[in-house]
Amino acid sequence: QAFTQVYPQKLWDKTIGGYYLDQSSFSKIKTTKDGNLLFIGSAVGPGGNLSTASNGGWDYWFFKMDTLGNLLWEAGFGGSNDDEGRDFLELKDGGFILVGSSFSPLGGDKTEFSRGGEDFWIVRIDSSRNILWDKTFGGITQDRCHAVIQTPDAGFMVVGHVKSPLGFDVSEPNFGSNNNDDFWVIRIDSLGNKIWDKRYGWDGAERCNTILSMSDGNYLLIGWTGSAFAGGHISLLGKSVNDFWVLKIDSQGNKIWDKRYGSEFSGQNYENYSALNTPDGGFIFMGQSTGDAGNDKTENSRGLEDFWILKCDSLGNKLWDKTLGGDNTEFPGTIIDSGNGSYIVCGSTKSSISGEKTQTNWSNGIYDYWAVKISNTGTKIWDVRFGGTGIDACLSATSIDNGKYILYGNSYSDISGDKTENNWNLNPGSNPNGDLWLVAFSEPPLGYENMGDSKGGLDVFPNPFRETLEVGAEWSGAGKVQLELYDITGRKVFESDYTISTPFFNKEIELGFLPAGVYSLTLVTASEKRTRLVVKR
């Protein structure tokens, strides 16, 4: 990079787990109504931070923590085999609903028999963590649950993917003859009774990872598809080996429309576990991509696998996309709203300093946590990595107050790098078992100008700059845009004209030829003019 970035500041980190392998398998962390933290994972107790014995294998493990990293309570729920907690909701009555996948038969906290290899398992608890009811849904093979939302009737929709054929709780057969995964949605009432279930897909593999409730009372299912041809619920031909797939349904599960998004034809676009509603009625989501520019992707791959972020309108039309990564592999976690129209995206990185990555990892070629702030047009504002000398994989994030954030995932690192606590381990000095790891950090210190805090309707990064300046803006429409730069005497020192086909302008300009000083940056369209000051070092 041609500039020195001032990095976000780590506030604290906390290791949570027992004496055995504990993990966050695409599990969520969220901020509570009372300003604390809730997160779910999969753990084996007792020992370490875990006060009770598991029922067998992994159990859902649910935690409440304050924003200083003090654990307030923890509770485990499970059967005699592995149960992986992935998502949860805090409910109006003070209780919670927990969802994930279960390999357990009837027994322990599980009151219904296993349908097959892996089932959806839904647990409702009260404010004191007592189980009110639990429900198992699935077929004879593997069916995996990833997310839950509440419906207006106080019921719920749970989503994931189904491999099972028709039978047990699966009311529709597989598409095609390959018994691949399909999207699966189950709607239940407030007591967990099934109202309906629907599967969506075609003859390839389709995996649904998240659901959004839209302002019009309908729902978006977001995941990916490996189907090469149109058919079933898929209306468009494949663009890449795998494409992101978004399906809009009504409250009864009827399809309204679907969209697929791909890169050049050999790209793999998948692992999209996070999405957000946006104020304009549209949505933004992120996933992983190996593809270069082509079709819906406007930027080449930075390395092996990158974050790929897409912003869409309410009809699923792409407004902009952004690729973030370095020279190796990035694995995506979640995207969250950071205020002022900007976003934090998080995940894991193996890359050296390259692409958008500006810090080395603590061990070369080993995953560290990675967080990137982007503007409302996708322009990068800053990035930061956290980790130790082992594998550290970030899967989720949440915001707290005053520009502070929490990253959550798995760590195999003992004390090293940014990690201040050893993993819980029955055999100290041996390779640590994985534990859950939380990192709290704040925005860069005062004096560093965050581009996301737009001035004059213009986003710039970095500011001050040395060689290149990235400029972003959102307009009321497409058309011609003129960019001008003036020195303090009013002399024009740079000018360039652009024609844009969307309301989003995002360009990187080379200004290394200019002397150090203060300049006035102006963007002009047919209907308006925007100006702000920038500093050349």
Side-chain angles (χ1 to χ4, degrees), residues 129-167:
R129 282 91 68 199
N130 300 304
I131 296 177
L132 300 177
W133 53 258
D134 75 290
K135 294 289 182 177
T136 297
F137 298 102
I140 63 171
T141 60
Q142 289 190 333
D143 311 307
R144 179 169 291 184
C145 180
H146 279 292
V148 59
I149 60 169
Q150 192 158 31
T151 51
D153 61 356
F156 306 93
M157 280 192 188
V158 289
V159 302
H161 40 91
V162 57
K163 195 180 202 63
S164 297
L166 174 68

Side-chain angles (χ1 to χ4, degrees), residues 183 205-209 221-230 234-246 258-272 285 287-291 294-297 308 310:
F183 283 21
E206 281 78 44
R207 293 190 173 183
C208 182
N209 298 322
L221 310 179
I222 300 174
W224 58 269
T225 175
S227 293
F229 301 102
I234 297 178
S235 60
L236 297 171
L237 290 172
K239 301 176 180 182
S240 313
V241 176
N242 295 310
D243 295 330
F244 296 157
W245 188 42
V246 176
D258 76 296
K259 297 280 186 179
R260 64 190 300 166
Y261 311 87
S263 59
E264 49 81 26
F265 72 96
S266 66
Q268 299 260 9
N269 307 294
Y270 55 152
E271 307 293 12
N272 46 345
F285 69 100
Q288 187 177 47
S289 178
T290 67
N295 288 310
D296 303 295
K297 196 164 188 284
W308 188 25
L310 292 93

